[in-house]
Amino acid sequence: MNFENLSLVWLVAIFAGAGLIILACGVRITDVADRIADRTGLGEALIGGLLLGAATSLSGTVVSVTTAFEGRASLSFSNAVGGIAAQTAFLALADMIYRRVNLEHAAADLSNLFQGALLVLLLSIPLIAYVSPDISFFAVSPFSLILFGIYIAGVVASKRVRDDPMWRPVGTRETRTDTPDEDKQDARGNVTIFAVFGALMLLMGIAGYAISGVAGVLTDRYGISASVVGALMTAVVTSLPELVTTLAAVRRGALQLAVGGIIGGNTFDTLFLTLSDVAYRDGSLYHAISKDDLIWLSVGLSATAILLLGLIVRQKAGPGRIGFESAGILALYAGAVALTVS
């Protein structure tokens, strides 16, 4: 589809329509992921961190890869790291609606702690790549391959941490454990539910393509900063599934799925950078961005560190009956938005 010939009205309509599709799919896919976690016996934290996180990130993946292929390095990069910052802020919003106790206290799980630490490591890689010499092989930075390798190793280690944990969170009256809502069923039933999951992912991918087309036109035609469009428009809209799935999971009591979905989705989102670097054919993606794009990388890194502190401290209640980590993340995100648009 040629988005360049469309009027502003049509561009806004397509952008909003694609956002609604992503939102609707996000509502449905949470329930499907929870049922998969119960049927496979893999648990909410692991399924939330891997399967659900990857699925809800698909539309954002399409945006970053498509814009990188078009040569829009800043838009591609800021969409990836801006989504990580936004999704972490969504978890703070979920903490606000879970009034019984601080969400990070109730959702204590070793897998989420491990995923959070892994995310901090992964977010440091593009920062190292930015300050390192501009070296690439076939227009791909070696740091993109390192990032991908660390992610795969982290996935394998996540399963090992769950199966043979060396640490366990202290249980309290407010701690919500992961208990299956349904029994494992026959293979035919499992095939059906995985097919539904795949169809929802496909719809979100198509919607992501439409959003990337509109974003490119907005930056070219109206001179809007690619960092602003990527971090505050495409990143937020493509992150709507994370917001919906997190709030829905909290309301259903699947607290580990809620936290794991955000952290795992953010971990998967770092692969946007590897895929985008491969799609970007003018050299290393990390040396084609500006310092403005690093603001949102820094915000994502700082917000993840704050979240990890909250998961370790497990404060029962803090300011406004939310944890100190939620208050800190929201303040950090609000400050970054003000700095970006000023």
Side-chain angles (χ1 to χ4, degrees), residues 121-205:
L121 175 59
L122 289 170
L123 286 174
S124 69
I125 301 301
L127 188 59
I128 296 173
Y130 179 82
V131 299
S132 298
D134 187 359
I135 301 175
S136 61
F137 302 95
F138 302 101
V140 177
S141 170
F143 287 100
S144 291
L145 303 179
I146 293 172
L147 191 151
F148 179 75
I150 292 175
Y151 177 83
I152 296 300
V155 170
V156 175
S158 293
K159 182 65 165 60
R160 187 176 302 170
V161 165
R162 175 177 174 80
D163 293 343
D164 188 21
M166 300 300 292
W167 298 89
R168 295 185 186 276
V170 175
T172 68
R173 289 189 304 171
E174 292 83 9
T175 303
R176 295 294 298 270
T177 56
D178 176 15
T179 53
D181 297 321
E182 59 179 86
D183 297 328
K184 299 178 185 179
Q185 297 188 11
D186 58 80
R188 183 177 178 183
N190 289 340
V191 168
T192 300
I193 198 169
F194 273 104
V196 172
F197 195 89
L200 292 170
M201 286 184 64
L202 179 61
L203 286 174
M204 287 192 286

Side-chain angles (χ1 to χ4, degrees), residues 309-335:
L309 291 174
L311 287 169
I312 294 172
V313 173
R314 295 182 65 195
Q315 183 183 30
K316 289 189 177 182
R321 296 194 65 185
I322 62 175
F324 75 88
E325 72 283 351
S326 295
I329 290 169
L330 290 175
L332 177 65
Y333 189 81

Side-chain angles (χ1 to χ4, degrees), residues 24-290:
C25 290
V27 172
R28 175 66 177 136
I29 208 166
T30 308
D31 176 66
V32 177
D34 195 17
R35 293 172 63 189
I36 290 175
D38 293 341
R39 292 188 180 191
T40 60
L42 293 176
E44 291 177 355
L46 188 60
I47 290 296
L50 300 179
L51 189 61
L52 183 60
T56 53
S57 298
L58 183 60
S59 56
T61 305
V62 173
V63 172
S64 283
V65 171
T66 302
T67 53
F69 185 75
E70 294 172 351
R72 306 177 190 276
S74 182
L75 179 57
S76 175
F77 187 90
S78 59
N79 174 74
V81 297
I84 291 172
Q87 287 154 200
T88 309
F90 291 163
L91 193 58
L93 295 177
D95 191 13
M96 297 175 67
I97 71 168
Y98 189 71
R99 307 306 297 165
R100 181 175 177 180
V101 72
N102 178 16
L103 180 61
E104 280 71 27
H105 174 92
D109 186 89
L110 185 58
S111 295
N112 288 334
L113 277 175
F114 179 84
Q115 288 280 334
L118 175 64
L119 178 56
V120 170
L121 175 59
L122 289 170
L123 286 174
S124 69
I125 301 301
L127 188 59
I128 296 173
Y130 179 82
V131 299
S132 298
D134 187 359
I135 301 175
S136 61
F137 302 95
F138 302 101
V140 177
S141 170
F143 287 100
S144 291
L145 303 179
I146 293 172
L147 191 151
F148 179 75
I150 292 175
Y151 177 83
I152 296 300
V155 170
V156 175
S158 293
K159 182 65 165 60
R160 187 176 302 170
V161 165
R162 175 177 174 80
D163 293 343
D164 188 21
M166 300 300 292
W167 298 89
R168 295 185 186 276
V170 175
T172 68
R173 289 189 304 171
E174 292 83 9
T175 303
R176 295 294 298 270
T177 56
D178 176 15
T179 53
D181 297 321
E182 59 179 86
D183 297 328
K184 299 178 185 179
Q185 297 188 11
D186 58 80
R188 183 177 178 183
N190 289 340
V191 168
T192 300
I193 198 169
F194 273 104
V196 172
F197 195 89
L200 292 170
M201 286 184 64
L202 179 61
L203 286 174
M204 287 192 286
I206 294 173
Y209 173 76
I211 288 174
S212 68
V214 173
V217 174
L218 291 177
T219 56
D220 292 342
R221 185 187 299 177
Y222 300 101
I224 305 175
S225 168
S227 295
V228 172
V229 173
L232 299 181
M233 292 179 63
T234 62
V236 173
V237 172
T238 55
S239 296
L240 286 177
E242 279 81 359
L243 174 61
V244 174
T245 55
T246 301
L247 297 181
V250 167
R251 290 193 175 277
R252 295 177 58 217
L255 304 184
Q256 293 172 340
L257 182 67
V259 177
I262 288 293
I263 299 177
N266 286 347
T267 303
F268 183 83
D269 284 1
T270 61
L271 294 184
F272 290 9
L273 301 177
T274 295
L275 297 174
S276 298
D277 190 25
V278 173
Y280 186 71
R281 294 289 79 205
D282 296 329
S284 168
L285 177 77
Y286 310 106
H287 291 88
I289 60 175
S290 66

